[in-house]
Amino acid sequence: FASANYLNHEGITYNSNYERFTGRIKADYQAKKWFRLTGDMNYSHFDRNYVDNDGDTGSSGNLFALQNIAPIYPVFYRDAKGNIMFNNEAGIPAYDYGDVTNLGLVRPYLNQSNPISDLLVNTSNSEGNTFRGVGTADIYLPYGFTFTSTNSAYVYESRGTSVTNPYFGQYKSSKGLVGKSHSRQFDLTFAQRLNWHQTYGKHDVEVMLGHEFYRNTNYYLSGSKSNMSSQGNKELDGAVIVQSTGSYLSEYNTESWMGRAMYNYDDRYFAYGSVMRQASSAFHPDHRWGTFWSIGGMWNVKSEEFMLAYDYINDMRLKASYGTTGNSGIGNYIAYGTIGTGPNYNGQAGTTIGNPA
């Protein structure tokens, strides 16, 4: 199986759009009567121009912030005759930024900003790629045993570009600001299952033993510079004064061992039990593993003979279950004492306590 898809979606504001190409291929191969392989791969590339802080109507980069500006304040610079003036360097109308540069008038709300102009001359872009590959092997063994190994890899990477124009607003004195960022997420999952399933007359028994390992790695890199040589050059090498740089690496993984047994008699009475031994790197090594279990049962009342008289009842089941679970969503490295790099003291790096263990 193979497919391809192309999407081009225009936004409702200036310079907002989303473009994406997606491709997929999937194949099944019955190598032997007892051996089956399955592969599934997805790839997509996207390119997105978006409104800065588009979820916040109070952001200077959001067109909807205009609803909070009183109508007495102008959108453009105008000359004495009321004609709209132009910024020859930018090649667009001269927009009013509510600061003292326009007849000395200061706008109390969102001064040094103009949402329309910001959309036209600023840049907020991200482009990237995603890939997911899943490979599965099924081995059919004697006596009702089946071994399944499912392994997957997922990669997501994104490159961000932001440019604040050098013509208007608060960054005019800095001659513009360009920022770059790159992030990558890499996930690996390895799962193995051994299933046994047999029927003995009206008795149906199924047992599963399994193991799973998951690893997540996140990388991030960013930097920004001011004093741009040209707004058309949206790379860091097109500006000269370093404003900020940063990077980090974050890792997380879990490992699980599990077992489950299910039994039903004549599709009327069902019982099951499961147990899992799981570890998460979010916890301290001395408290990393936890054991969770569950039991349950069901009675298919509709299958009983005394229910035949009630043909207006399509289904009736009585279920009960009880189990335990855990929560590892506490954040990475919270069980460790961390140290952060502090300010630069005469060329020497200072350190501070980032988080107590």
Side-chain angles (χ1 to χ4, degrees):
F1 169 83
S3 68
N5 175 271
Y6 175 74
L7 171 70
N8 192 343
H9 180 72
E10 292 295 328
I12 63 173
T13 61
Y14 297 120
N15 291 336
S16 64
N17 67 286
Y18 184 80
E19 187 177 23
R20 183 185 66 201
F21 170 80
T22 304
R24 181 187 178 191
I25 184 169
K26 181 180 179 181
D28 298 327
Y29 179 49
Q30 191 74 40
K32 298 288 184 178
K33 184 178 180 180
W34 51 270
F35 185 45
R36 178 183 178 86
L37 288 172
T38 302
D40 191 354
M41 293 183 291
N42 295 267
Y43 168 79
S44 67
H45 173 77
F46 66 88
D47 192 336
R48 171 179 175 243
N49 292 296
Y50 56 94
V51 178
D52 183 31
N53 293 325
D54 50 2
D56 179 11
T57 57
S59 167
S60 61
N62 193 325
L63 186 64
F64 297 101
L66 286 173
Q67 66 183 342
N68 296 322
I69 298 178
I72 62 172
Y73 296 103
V75 176
F76 306 98
Y77 284 1
R78 296 179 184 270
D79 60 21
K81 297 182 180 180
N83 298 316
I84 295 176
M85 302 171 66
F86 274 77
N87 183 292
N88 295 327
E89 187 179 5
I92 63 173
Y95 288 89
D96 177 70
Y97 269 64
D99 52 22
V100 295
T101 57
N102 186 14
L103 303 178
L105 300 178
V106 178
R107 187 172 65 235
Y109 181 76
L110 290 181
N111 62 73
Q112 290 193 321
S113 64
N114 186 304
I116 296 179
S117 175
D118 286 347
L119 289 175
L120 290 172
V121 297
N122 292 350
T123 297
S124 295
N125 173 268
S126 65
E127 62 170 325
N129 307 278
T130 63
F131 171 82
R132 183 186 298 276
V134 182
T136 302
D138 295 301
I139 302 176
Y140 305 100
L141 303 170
Y143 307 108
F145 286 95
T146 302
F147 176 78
T148 301
S149 177
T150 303
N151 309 287
S152 67
Y154 172 76
V155 180
Y156 171 86
E157 65 167 0
S158 176
R159 186 171 190 259
T161 301
S162 65
V163 176
T164 303
N165 77 89
Y167 313 119
F168 312 107
Q170 58 182 318
Y171 291 101
K172 180 179 179 180
S173 60
S174 301
K175 297 184 179 180
L177 181 69
V178 57
K180 287 288 184 178
S181 64
H182 182 267
S183 63
R184 177 184 295 147
Q185 176 183 342
F186 184 39
D187 293 348
L188 283 175
T189 304
F190 304 107
Q192 304 86 41
R193 302 283 191 275
L194 180 64
N195 283 277
W196 176 71
H197 185 203
Q198 288 285 9
T199 57
Y200 304 96
K202 295 182 178 182
H203 302 273
D204 189 312
V205 182
E206 184 174 352
V207 178
M208 183 274 291
L209 298 176
H211 170 261
E212 183 174 296
F213 176 83
Y214 167 75
R215 185 171 186 84
N216 166 265
T217 308
N218 285 282
Y219 308 86
Y220 183 77
L221 175 68
S222 67
S224 65
K225 281 185 174 182
S226 63
N227 199 346
M228 301 173 63
S229 59
S230 168
Q231 194 188 11
N233 188 339
K234 300 179 181 181
E235 300 299 326
L236 292 177
D237 283 352
V240 294
I241 300 178
V242 176
Q243 295 293 323
S244 66
T245 58
S247 68
Y248 66 78
L249 166 67
S250 176
E251 296 175 302
Y252 173 77
N253 64 275
T254 62
E255 188 168 14
S256 306
W257 297 87
M258 65 204 76
R260 182 185 65 201
M262 296 185 293
Y263 167 81
N264 88 76
Y265 174 76
D266 197 24
D267 286 330
R268 287 190 293 170
Y269 310 109
F270 298 80
Y272 77 87
S274 68
V275 63
M276 174 182 286
R277 181 73 172 161
Q278 189 172 47
S280 168
S281 65
F283 301 103
H284 189 275
D286 294 341
H287 306 281
R288 184 159 288 172
W289 288 90
T291 302
F292 313 100
W293 57 272
S294 66
I295 56 174
M298 184 184 73
W299 176 26
N300 186 359
V301 183
K302 178 59 180 177
S303 65
E304 300 291 349
E305 291 187 5
F306 63 80
M307 291 295 296
L308 296 177
Y310 305 99
D311 55 0
Y312 54 86
I313 297 178
N314 296 320
D315 194 14
M316 180 182 292
R317 299 167 187 259
L318 181 64
K319 299 180 181 180
S321 62
Y322 183 84
T324 61
T325 186
N327 173 30
S328 62
I330 61 174
N332 292 347
Y333 313 115
I334 197 170
Y336 301 89
T338 58
I339 296 177
T341 302
N344 183 328
Y345 295 104
N346 194 28
Q348 301 298 317
T351 58
T352 59
I353 296 177
N355 185 71

